[in-house]
Amino acid sequence: MEKLKRLLSEIAYTRTPSPLHFPLLPLLSFASSLYSFSLFIRGRLYHLGIFSKRRLPVPVISVGNLTWGGNGKTPMVEFIALCFDKLGISPLILTRGYAGGDEARMLQGHLAGTSIKIGIGGNRAATAASFFGKYGHVTQECSQSSKADKIGCVILDDGMQHWSLSRDLEIVMVNAMAPWGNKSLLPRGPLREPLTALERADVAVIHHTNLVSYEELRAVKSTIREIKETLPIFLSQLRPFCFFDVKKPDTKLPLQAVQDSVVLCVSAIGCASSFVQAIGKLNPENDLQDQLIRWVLLLSTSMLQTIGAEYVDRIDFSDHHFIQKKDIAMIKEKLAELSDKFCAKPIVAVTEKHQ
């Protein structure tokens, strides 16, 4: 399955397919046509009122994207939720808990001790209803003192394609490093909807802007403007600021800890190329298991080299990948290669979001 995911990703983000891809292209193109037709039918059913949208009793902010993974949705959801929390408004994050709920667990860890609530489930309306029943929600009639723990707004994590809930603000995240791929719909390409879906957005946020050239960034902006000229565009950057010792979650380690080291980056995120630059030394007595769990970068990285590591290698798994024994064996083999090549014990840096 991992090899198939990697192959589909290669096809999706390659404008000129390799001859090795040719046997799969007719099947993938046919599947994309069926997917496109299903999107059209679904849209018409909502337009005709056969499928209805549910309105929640508090404002709803959707954070989503048009392509699969690596667009910075979940960090943006966390950022927005913390902004509301600081304003004294208790937000409810609604997430599907996709692929074992690794992102939901990450959010729960980051947001512990705040007023932020996290609802997990595919039926987001039902999940929201259960939280409103437990905590209540803020109304115009509520006094400031009576708001307390009541829910003041809802944030949809990965909500752009979740049409059954009405929203007051639609934020679309765009990955500057790999914005549209081959511009084909799933599974032939990475698009979950046609680019014209940008017309529904209220705000576009281009992520990873510090990792691309000015020309690449301008091209992304131009594509967005061609579809919706008036769409406000904001830019965000990916900058790691520390490491964590997961055995001591409260311990933050400086990025300088990885200078002049040999590093192996192991990632299981949507945009693995944004994870390659920040490291430090491990206790040489630690075994592989300790190395795998001891060093975790807070955010994804394209940063490990810029922080000053001597050499950075990588093993990229697909988004939400569940690390298995065979993967551990692969990592051990790579570590042995690096150790022989550089005559030094490599450091393993693992993305926070993995299973």
Side-chain angles (χ1 to χ4, degrees), residues 111-176:
L111 302 175
T114 70
S115 68
I116 301 165
K117 301 161 183 63
I118 302 174
I120 305 171
N123 188 334
R124 304 198 199 190
T127 302
S130 68
F131 273 78
F132 291 143
K134 181 176 181 180
Y135 296 100
H137 64 274
V138 175
T139 64
Q140 290 182 345
E141 291 75 24
C142 283
S143 65
Q144 191 66 35
S145 60
S146 68
K147 290 180 180 180
D149 209 28
K150 292 184 177 180
I151 296 167
C153 68
V154 165
I155 306 170
L156 296 180
D157 183 14
D158 195 11
M160 191 165 186
Q161 287 75 42
H162 192 81
W163 297 352
S164 62
L165 279 182
S166 294
R167 65 282 316 271
D168 300 279
L169 183 68
E170 184 82 75
I171 300 174
V172 59
M173 303 293 298
V174 179
N175 181 4

Side-chain angles (χ1 to χ4, degrees), residues 93-115:
I93 296 174
L94 294 179
T95 179
R96 292 177 301 172
Y98 177 75
D102 53 353
E103 290 177 342
R105 289 195 299 272
M106 187 171 69
L107 283 171
Q108 288 170 336
H110 291 180
L111 302 175
T114 70
S115 68

Side-chain angles (χ1 to χ4, degrees), residues 5 27 33 52 55 72 199 242 285 310 315:
K5 289 180 179 179
L27 177 61
S33 297
S52 59
R55 167 65 65 178
E199 295 174 352
C242 68
E285 296 180 357
E310 177 185 354
I315 295 178

Side-chain angles (χ1 to χ4, degrees), residues 52-71:
S52 59
K53 294 186 177 183
R54 180 167 177 178
R55 167 65 65 178
L56 297 182
V58 296
V60 175
I61 299 171
S62 169
V63 180
N65 62 2
L66 294 182
T67 62
W68 64 41
N71 295 272

Side-chain angles (χ1 to χ4, degrees), residues 167-172 198-204 228 230-234:
R167 65 282 316 271
D168 300 279
L169 183 68
E170 184 82 75
I171 300 174
V172 59
L198 286 169
E199 295 174 352
R200 300 202 316 269
D202 299 303
V203 174
K228 190 173 182 179
T230 59
L231 184 64
I233 298 176
F234 294 87

